[in-house]
């Protein structure tokens, strides 16, 4: 057995080296980023070092490797990489931010001030640089400078609990008990809505500039729009008959490779040349559908109806009612959302109703388990609530938004391991969101209705700033969708008033 050890080691080394040599640079960057985000820092460093070797004149590759070195406390190697990156791209905020954090950790507070002040000049809207600069000023016993930074921090990020804590302590030192009490109430409210993980020193040092940079070629050129043409085919396919029902869904009922139509009141099978009404042949009640998806991973599309019934497809155009077996009924829910939050390869379910928001984990066999509390889901319900999935922090897992009319939009960030962090965003909506990358920079932006139609640009790591008011109409909207209407490579917004 022991005689085989050299051969095994050779095989492992060969496999790693073949991956590094065989993959494209873009793929290596993605793999290195994935390892880093899963806290597999040694594997990330090995791959990111190869990226630097292949692209020695690309500053972001050196920055990414430096950030990975910081995670392993290899500070001197990180400092060298950041300074080399500065020679290639002097105005990259990531460089000074990370150098400032290293200096802060090493007790070189004057150096930390110099670097973090440089970040505030390059990006005056970054709240994390302001907060950490305030902490460094406190260590230098510069109270007024620290308070100024904490105040700017909460202006930029009104939900920053720790900045309010330091402002409260300053009010106590000045003897202003009323102001201290007011700030304490704000701090306690924000603290209670923030997980302990996000209140650690390391988490508070995190920023959009401590995340690995997505390296791509930039915004693609705008292509020539194609003509917009629609053709009414109702008569051709349905013989002039009207289609009754609501919440229509397209579904391949009989696995013949084409899509049939379930309208909620009738069912139409796609045949050659048109559709045939087969409502009477379905053995389950025909109800409006909330969700059409494969709930038990058998390759067939199942149905979850608005009335709370779960119909499992038999693959031959018939269904079985398995509502009781699922262990859950979404009857009366305002919103439903399917997502694979635990990356197990099956679809989990988020439901929002009058009692709040709940998360159900798919057990892999079509049954579900309520994991709301252990996942950290804490949200009230309400009429008109809507749910949307996205990945606004670009960490390659599924996050989701909860939007209630007239209230602040809530973002649940997936922290892996079955946990979410709730982030209350500093803007309200009517419940309608149109999520998409409107500036083609690789991050998902938001369009929402807030005293008019507003575009919020994602600066990275789910930090949003309003950049444009698209329309000022005050009429309530019915639907809001991102769509590239003219096929020019840039998303437009479809508004239904």
């Amino acid at each position: 057995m022991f005689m085989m050890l050299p051969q095994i080691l050779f095989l492992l080394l060969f496999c790693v080296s073949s991956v590094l040599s065989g993959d494209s640079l873009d793929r290596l960057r993605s793999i290195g980023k994935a390892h880093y985000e899963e806290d597999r820092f040694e594997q990330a460093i090995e791959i990111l070092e190869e990226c630097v070797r292949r692209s020695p004149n690309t500053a972001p590759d050196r920055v990414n490797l430096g950030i990975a070195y910081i995670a392993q406390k290899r500070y001197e190697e990180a400092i060298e990489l950041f300074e080399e990156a500065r020679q290639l791209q002097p105005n990259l905020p990531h460089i000074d931010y990370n150098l400032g954090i290293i200096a802060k950790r090493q007790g070189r507070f004057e150096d930390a001030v110099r670097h973090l002040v440089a970040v505030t000049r390059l990006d005056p809207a970054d709240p994390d640089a302001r907060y950490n600069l305030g902490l460094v000023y406190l260590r230098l016993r510069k109270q007024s400078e620290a308070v100024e930074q904490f105040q700017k921090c909460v202006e930029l990020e009104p939900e920053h609990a720790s900045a309010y804590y330091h402002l409260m302590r300053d009010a106590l030192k000045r003897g202003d008990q009323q102001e201290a009490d007011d700030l304490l109430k704000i701090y306690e409210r924000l603290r209670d809505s923030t997980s302990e993980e996000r209140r650690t020193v390391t988490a508070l040092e995190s920023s959009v500039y401590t995340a690995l940079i997505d390296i791509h070629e930039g915004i693609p050129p705008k292509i020539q729009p194609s003509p917009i043409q629609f053709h009414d085919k109702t008569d051709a396919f349905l013989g002039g008959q009207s289609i009754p029902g609501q919440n229509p869904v397209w579904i391949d009922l009989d696995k013949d490779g084409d899509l049939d139509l379930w309208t909620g009141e009738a069912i139409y099978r796609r045949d050659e040349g048109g559709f045939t009404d087969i409502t009477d042949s379905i053995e389950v009640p025909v109800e409006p559908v909330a969700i059409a998806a494969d709930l038990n991973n058998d390759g067939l599309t199942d149905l979850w109806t608005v009335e709370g019934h779960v119909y499992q497809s038999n693959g031959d155009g018939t269904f079985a009612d398995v509502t009781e077996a699922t262990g859950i009924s979404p009857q009366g829910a305002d919103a439903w959302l399917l997502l694979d939050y635990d990356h197990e390869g099956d679809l989990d379910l988020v439901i929002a109703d009058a009692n709040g928001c709940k998360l159900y984990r798919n057990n892999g066999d079509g049954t579900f388990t309520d994991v709301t509390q252990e996942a950290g889901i804490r949200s009230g319900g309400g009429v008109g609530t809507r749910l949307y999935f996205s990945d606004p922090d670009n960490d390659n897992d599924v996050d989701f938004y909860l939007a209630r009319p007239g209230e602040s939009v809530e973002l649940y960030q997936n922290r892996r391991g079955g946990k979410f962090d709730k982030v209350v965003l500093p803007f309200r909506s009517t419940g309608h969101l149109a999520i998409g990358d409107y500036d083609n920079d690789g991050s998902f932006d938001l369009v929402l209705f807030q005293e008019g139609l507003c575009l919020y640009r994602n600066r990275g790591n789910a930090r949003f700033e309003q950049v444009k008011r698209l329309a000022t109409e005050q009429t309530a909207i019915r639907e809001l969708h991102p769509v590239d209407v003219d096929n020019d490579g840039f998303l437009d917004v479809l508004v239904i008033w």
Side-chain angles (χ1 to χ4, degrees), residues 155-396:
E155 290 173 7
L156 294 167
E157 187 177 343
E159 308 298 320
H160 201 298
S162 296
Y164 277 108
Y165 172 79
H166 288 290
L167 291 173
M168 180 269 294
R169 286 178 58 88
D170 176 69
L172 286 175
K173 288 181 180 180
R174 291 186 283 104
D176 191 332
Q177 188 63 49
Q178 183 59 54
E179 181 181 353
D181 290 342
D182 293 341
L183 291 168
L184 178 61
K185 290 177 182 178
I186 298 173
Y187 163 70
E188 290 178 338
R189 175 179 60 81
L190 296 175
R191 178 201 61 193
D192 293 343
S193 65
T194 305
S195 68
E196 291 185 9
E197 181 180 327
R198 287 178 64 87
R199 299 200 302 269
T200 64
V201 173
T202 302
L204 291 169
E205 288 177 343
S206 298
S207 162
V208 61
Y209 299 124
T210 60
L212 298 197
I213 302 171
D214 281 319
I215 306 172
H216 49 79
E217 298 303 317
I219 297 176
K222 193 164 185 174
I223 61 178
Q224 183 65 33
S226 60
I228 305 171
Q229 295 182 343
F230 295 94
H231 302 281
D232 188 346
K233 294 292 185 179
T234 307
D235 289 343
F237 284 106
L238 296 173
Q241 61 181 314
S242 62
I243 305 176
Q246 56 180 316
N247 289 33
V249 295
W250 293 99
I251 174 175
D252 185 2
L253 293 168
D254 46 10
K255 292 199 70 178
D256 64 351
D258 53 32
L259 293 176
D260 311 298
L261 180 62
W262 181 300
T263 72
E265 293 184 15
I267 303 173
Y268 298 89
R269 185 185 64 224
R270 176 69 185 272
D271 296 318
E272 186 176 351
F275 288 84
T276 302
D277 189 337
I278 60 170
T279 308
D280 293 339
S281 66
I282 300 296
E283 298 179 357
V284 296
V286 180
E287 303 169 352
V289 171
I291 294 170
D294 183 5
L295 300 176
N296 59 349
N297 272 9
D298 64 354
L300 304 173
T301 303
D302 310 305
L303 300 174
W304 213 313
T305 75
V306 174
E307 300 298 326
H309 295 109
V310 183
Y311 298 139
Q312 184 174 296
S313 175
N314 297 319
D316 58 1
T318 64
F319 291 82
D321 189 336
V322 295
T323 305
E324 292 186 8
T326 63
I328 178 179
S329 173
Q331 186 171 4
D334 288 282
W336 309 262
L337 183 65
L338 284 172
L339 46 78
D340 183 12
Y341 83 97
D342 50 7
H343 302 272
E344 291 183 346
D346 49 31
L347 293 172
D348 311 297
L349 178 66
V350 183
I351 293 177
D353 57 25
N355 297 317
C357 184
K358 291 186 176 182
L359 172 64
Y360 293 89
R361 185 185 68 236
N362 194 326
N363 299 320
D365 57 2
T367 65
F368 292 80
T369 300
D370 187 340
V371 293
T372 305
Q373 291 188 345
E374 62 192 73
I377 306 298
R378 307 177 309 280
S379 180
V383 176
T385 299
R386 293 188 176 221
L387 297 166
Y388 306 84
F389 70 84
S390 184
D391 183 20
D393 48 10
N394 283 345
D395 60 354
N396 300 312

Side-chain angles (χ1 to χ4, degrees), residues 27-89:
R27 178 166 166 75
L28 282 181
R29 287 164 173 163
S30 296
I31 295 172
K33 189 171 186 287
H35 280 307
Y36 177 83
E37 290 169 348
E38 290 288 349
D39 295 339
R40 297 190 292 265
F41 299 124
E42 291 183 4
Q43 296 96 318
I45 285 172
E46 181 181 8
I47 292 174
L48 295 173
E49 285 175 340
E50 176 65 16
C51 293
V52 171
R53 283 191 286 270
R54 292 198 192 182
S55 185
N57 296 321
T58 304
D61 280 316
R62 293 182 180 274
V63 168
N64 286 349
L65 179 56
I67 293 172
Y69 279 156
I70 290 176
Q72 293 289 81
K73 295 183 170 56
R74 295 166 62 174
Y75 295 136
E76 298 309 315
E77 293 167 277
I79 291 172
E80 182 178 353
L81 279 165
F82 291 131
E83 293 299 349
E84 290 171 354
R86 191 192 302 279
Q87 298 302 313
L88 297 168
Q89 194 170 338

